[in-house]
Amino acid sequence: MREARTVVTEGLWSIGELAKRAGATVKTVRYYSERGLLPEAGRSAGGHRRYGPGALERLRLIRSLRALGLPVPEVERVLARDEALEEVVSDRLRQLGSELAALRWREASLRLLRDCPAGDRVEQVRLLGAVAVPPDTAALVRFWRRVLPARLPRRVASTVLDAVVPRPPAEPSPAQVLGFARLHALVSDPGLDRPEARPAQPLPAGEYRPAVLYEGLAEAYALAATELGAGRDVRDGGALDCFVGAYAHARGETDSADFRRALVPLLARADGPVITRYWKLAGGLFAPGEPVLGVLHHHLSVALRQDVGMRGD
């Protein structure tokens, strides 16, 4: 025998009345009710839902959360557990950050295409289309992992990657969007997989200790950045000596005039066209004031050539 349903209607509202009080549509109220998000205070004689002030308060909360862009499943999480609100808000902020980065990147890309010469648009569309939005640096990291010595300790490799891989600007200019797209195309070129096309190692393989070299170079670059920032020559504060010393110590040799002369062609071979092109494209992607290792390396290499020339006179 079916149990009799308790009928409670006094002071309660129908679904239409609740919708009117909340300024919502009946369809919206019915949707949230069917998902179990609105507490029922009773049923009419005909079995229709009836709602009280608690449902109105809950409905207003739901609509506020939805107005903040939270999807319904996330709203359900918040209603089920009060402490979930902080988690949901943090997650949504991360999502919004990614969405905003993508919008800024698309805006700069569209401005680039709008303002570029008509004859360049097809090529630039192709370049831009090969880059994820918002962009990531996975291709750049893979490129440098092929360039760096296999025996480089993970800790040192991680430090080097942080220094040589530029982060995509949060608010890129059209020029930066194009520069990043060209950089991505450079490091993604399948031709780099050919042995003859790969960038050369900084010193002959098997003839040096990679960790010693890269740790020494990090110190030399830091000194060079200080000297250049102060408007001084990189030879004035010991940056050049530190630079050459890094290569000498890595090979178990001492810094000498003969070693410096021998180092010049090794650096020229390592600084091949691919690496040179990389730094030309990457230079504009680093934050203002952030040291660009390619620029610092260039200054030190030029200073070394000048030093060798002076010593040879």
Side-chain angles (χ1 to χ4, degrees):
M1 185 175 180
R2 181 180 298 176
E3 294 183 9
R5 183 189 295 272
T6 302
V7 178
V8 181
T9 60
E10 186 177 352
L12 302 182
W13 311 312
S14 68
I15 194 169
E17 290 169 333
L18 175 59
K20 183 177 180 180
R21 287 174 180 271
T25 65
V26 171
K27 181 179 179 181
T28 296
V29 176
R30 181 175 288 113
Y31 172 74
Y32 291 137
S33 183
E34 289 176 351
R35 290 189 72 108
L37 299 181
L38 298 178
E40 295 180 25
R43 293 273 178 151
S44 69
H48 298 293
R49 297 182 179 95
R50 290 293 181 262
Y51 304 93
L56 178 59
E57 193 174 315
R58 174 67 67 86
L59 183 55
R60 286 171 173 165
L61 175 59
I62 292 171
R63 298 189 72 199
S64 296
L65 294 172
R66 294 287 288 133
L68 292 173
L70 297 185
V72 174
E74 297 302 298
V75 172
E76 290 175 329
R77 281 179 59 193
V78 173
L79 297 179
R81 189 165 56 92
D82 289 341
E83 57 269 27
L85 179 58
E86 183 177 353
E87 301 170 9
V88 168
V89 168
S90 296
D91 290 344
R92 187 57 184 151
L93 282 172
R94 282 190 290 271
Q95 293 169 10
L96 281 176
S98 180
E99 291 169 12
L100 288 172
L103 286 173
R104 294 187 186 108
W105 202 266
R106 289 193 179 102
E107 180 189 21
S109 299
L110 291 171
R111 288 167 53 201
L112 170 68
L113 295 175
R114 180 195 64 190
D115 298 336
C116 75
D120 294 342
R121 285 201 180 99
V122 172
E123 178 194 2
Q124 292 187 6
V125 167
R126 178 183 59 80
L127 287 169
L128 296 174
V131 178
V133 178
D136 59 50
T137 58
L140 279 64
V141 170
R142 287 194 298 270
F143 168 79
W144 279 105
R145 288 198 182 280
R146 294 199 302 267
V147 171
L148 295 175
R151 295 179 292 125
L152 195 62
R154 181 177 298 179
R155 171 185 57 83
V156 179
S158 178
T159 300
V160 174
L161 289 172
D162 287 342
V164 299
V165 174
R167 292 176 294 277
E171 298 186 11
S173 66
Q176 288 176 319
V177 165
L178 182 58
F180 190 91
R182 285 176 171 164
L183 186 63
H184 184 275
L186 174 70
V187 301
S188 303
D189 184 355
L192 292 180
D193 291 332
R194 300 195 308 270
E196 66 274 14
R198 290 178 183 173
Q201 291 294 315
L203 288 173
E207 297 183 12
Y208 72 104
R209 293 171 291 171
V212 173
L213 173 62
Y214 283 93
E215 288 175 342
L217 288 177
E219 182 180 354
Y221 294 146
L223 289 172
T226 300
E227 294 303 310
L228 292 172
R232 295 190 293 266
D233 190 279
V234 293
R235 290 173 292 184
D236 295 341
L240 178 59
D241 291 341
C242 186
F243 180 69
V244 175
Y247 287 96
H249 296 158
R251 296 190 67 172
E253 301 183 28
T254 58
D255 183 0
S256 66
D258 288 341
F259 181 83
R260 293 192 175 208
R261 280 192 291 271
L263 182 58
V264 169
L266 289 177
L267 293 180
R269 182 174 62 87
D271 299 337
V274 174
I275 296 297
T276 301
R277 175 70 171 161
Y278 179 95
W279 286 115
K280 284 183 178 179
L281 294 171
L285 296 170
F286 287 89
E290 187 177 3
V292 181
L293 262 59
V295 174
L296 299 175
H297 184 86
H298 172 73
H299 279 282
L300 289 164
S301 297
V302 170
L304 175 61
R305 290 197 298 271
Q306 293 173 343
D307 181 71
V308 168
M310 291 175 184
R311 293 188 181 200
D313 290 341

